[in-house]
Amino acid sequence: GYNGGGPWGAARAGIAVAAGASDARSGSLALVRKIRITLVNHAHLDLVVNEAFQATLGEKLQQADDTFIGLSSSGGAPTEPAADYDTAIALVCSILERMQIPYVERSVKAWAAQACSTFAHSRDKANIMTAARVRFVVQWVLRCLSELAIRGMPDFFDRAFLEGFDHGTQISESSIQLSGAVAHGVYGNIWLHAKDKSTLKSAQPSPRANAFVASATRAFRRGTTRDFAMTSSLSGVRELPKSEYVVCSISKTLCKLPPDLMSRRIRFLIEMDPIPFVLPLRDAYEDYEHIHLVYDSMSPNALCIIEKVFEDMHSTEGDESEDRGFSERTVQQIIWRLLTATKEAHSRGLVHGALRMGCCYLNDAESLDTLQILEFGLADLFEISAATPPAALLPPLETERTDPVPHYR
């Protein structure tokens, strides 16, 4: 079973004690059934949350306590009562006690912080916890408690982890072939050039396409590929379908969230607008043990930035020029692009959490504008793998799990 650290490990011990060591499986199954019934009965859950919320606010609102404020979208008089974050978390724990659901307080705080971080990117917003937001947090925590009870059971893998997609999510139903070069990421293996079998089988280049490839080959031999690429893009020649993708394969035991919540976040990453210099996520599949995240393709000649730095440093030995090879100017250009990507991502509530040179690639070794950052947005979805990737100089960023505000704020 999964015995990792963090809220999962601590809460598992709490549930095991509550259910009884001799009958842990039956107790876990009973808890899962109870939580699922509670989540399906929306009217009853709404009633429980609203009653607890109003009871907590009753006296405080009349006294105009600074802890409780009003929420008004128009900027006028407060129209909707709200509590601060700490009071809301205490309220969530009292609701679980009222429903007689065992829990570990620190785990509940960690799950509540995850839920809050989806709508609050500042301390001020986190301290505006309306009844609707408290209900959202309660539902999030209940789903995480149910997921925790299932972990370690033999049938943990016997279910779909990807929900709400408009296609079959089994990797066997796709045309993706996991083969070729592999990089080791902080979450799992990264297939840098996974094949699209359907494109390879159905590709029938036309005479015009053959002429295009022949011209490109001649241009490459003459060393004028850049000029050729500019003129060919204006000539009306249709780009051939992509036959490769980047695929990140992650063990399901590393999932931080229940399948429905994780799927929702993955679909958000797929549908969001692109972030500069970040490789876009296009789709997701699964097999019995892994989640496979499918990204845009990279150039067949894509180069890890570590190799780029290594090659440039050796090519400029004894060269005093500042504009050639690896120099301070090159470092500035790389850092500027990394900061551009992180600034945009942080404004959307996304954090990398393990940004390093090993997850940065260049589609063209001669152009820093072709920078592509891998593994962005996965820190909230998956635990870090126990195996440290090669060339990782520092451990991944550790965050305070019970803090609702992202650490970069």
Side-chain angles (χ1 to χ4, degrees), residues 22-349:
S22 62
D23 200 16
R25 176 175 170 79
S26 60
S28 296
L29 291 175
L31 177 60
V32 171
R33 286 194 295 269
K34 182 175 183 178
I35 291 176
R36 288 177 176 174
I37 292 173
T38 302
L39 290 172
V40 170
N41 194 344
H42 302 288
H44 175 70
L45 183 60
D46 289 350
L47 179 62
V48 171
V49 173
N50 289 333
E51 285 182 353
F53 186 79
Q54 295 300 328
T56 302
L57 290 184
E59 297 181 359
K60 298 289 185 178
L61 286 175
Q62 294 179 358
Q63 299 172 3
D65 194 305
D66 291 338
T67 304
F68 297 89
I69 60 177
L71 179 64
S72 173
S73 58
S74 62
T79 59
E80 185 176 358
D84 67 68
Y85 179 78
D86 292 335
T87 302
I89 298 306
L91 180 58
V92 171
C93 292
S94 68
I95 292 173
L96 294 177
E97 292 174 359
R98 178 177 175 179
M99 294 189 291
Q100 298 182 347
I101 294 179
Y103 68 92
V104 173
E105 184 176 357
R106 180 170 178 80
S107 299
V108 170
K109 289 182 177 180
W111 292 326
Q114 286 180 320
C116 186
S117 66
T118 63
F119 58 78
H121 298 159
S122 68
R123 176 62 63 179
D124 290 340
K125 291 182 179 179
N127 280 325
I128 303 177
M129 298 295 292
T130 62
R133 289 182 171 180
V134 172
R135 183 164 53 251
F136 175 79
V137 172
V138 169
Q139 292 173 335
W140 187 291
V141 170
L142 286 174
R143 287 186 171 92
C144 289
L145 281 168
S146 176
E147 175 70 9
L148 174 67
I150 297 174
R151 285 175 178 265
M153 292 186 181
D155 53 352
F156 171 74
F157 295 100
D158 296 334
R159 54 182 177 149
F161 274 66
L162 297 178
E163 303 176 0
F165 288 79
D166 57 0
H167 59 75
T169 58
Q170 289 297 315
I171 189 70
S172 59
E173 301 174 5
S174 73
S175 60
I176 302 297
Q177 176 181 325
L178 301 179
S179 61
V182 178
H184 300 284
V186 294
Y187 305 101
N189 289 336
I190 302 176
W191 306 87
L192 298 175
H193 304 292
K195 307 297 183 183
D196 186 334
K197 294 180 290 185
S198 63
T199 304
L200 294 177
K201 291 180 180 180
S202 62
Q204 297 293 335
S206 64
R208 188 179 184 185
N210 287 330
F212 173 79
V213 173
S215 299
T217 303
R218 290 193 297 270
F220 176 79
R221 291 173 178 173
R222 293 195 306 265
T224 57
T225 51
R226 292 186 180 180
D227 295 338
F228 176 80
M230 294 179 60
T231 56
S232 62
S233 64
L234 301 176
S235 64
V237 176
R238 183 175 60 85
E239 182 181 358
L240 295 178
K242 293 181 179 179
S243 60
E244 293 184 351
Y245 296 94
V246 175
V247 179
C248 185
S249 299
I250 305 173
S251 173
K252 290 180 176 178
T253 60
L254 298 179
C255 295
K256 285 184 177 181
L257 300 177
D260 54 342
L261 299 179
M262 180 186 68
S263 298
R264 187 186 309 172
R265 295 294 292 173
I266 290 177
R267 293 198 305 271
F268 166 76
L269 294 174
I270 293 174
E271 297 167 1
M272 72 177 186
D273 293 333
I275 298 175
F277 307 113
V278 172
L279 192 66
L281 179 63
R282 294 306 183 192
D283 214 336
Y285 294 93
E286 62 179 311
D287 58 26
Y288 188 72
E289 295 183 350
H290 296 88
I291 302 292
H292 303 283
L293 302 178
V294 182
Y295 293 83
D296 264 359
S297 62
M298 292 196 299
S299 164
N301 299 320
L303 188 69
C304 180
I305 205 166
I306 294 179
E307 300 175 18
K308 163 71 173 175
V309 171
F310 181 82
E311 290 181 0
D312 285 356
M313 289 182 67
H314 284 74
S315 66
T316 56
E317 289 184 353
D319 192 341
E320 301 295 334
S321 175
E322 295 184 359
D323 297 328
R324 292 188 58 189
F326 189 75
S327 62
E328 182 177 348
R329 179 178 177 83
T330 303
V331 175
Q332 292 173 348
Q333 292 175 338
I334 293 174
I335 296 300
W336 181 87
R337 286 161 177 78
L338 293 176
L339 293 179
T340 298
T342 53
K343 178 182 178 181
E344 176 63 25
H346 290 178
S347 69
R348 305 185 192 184

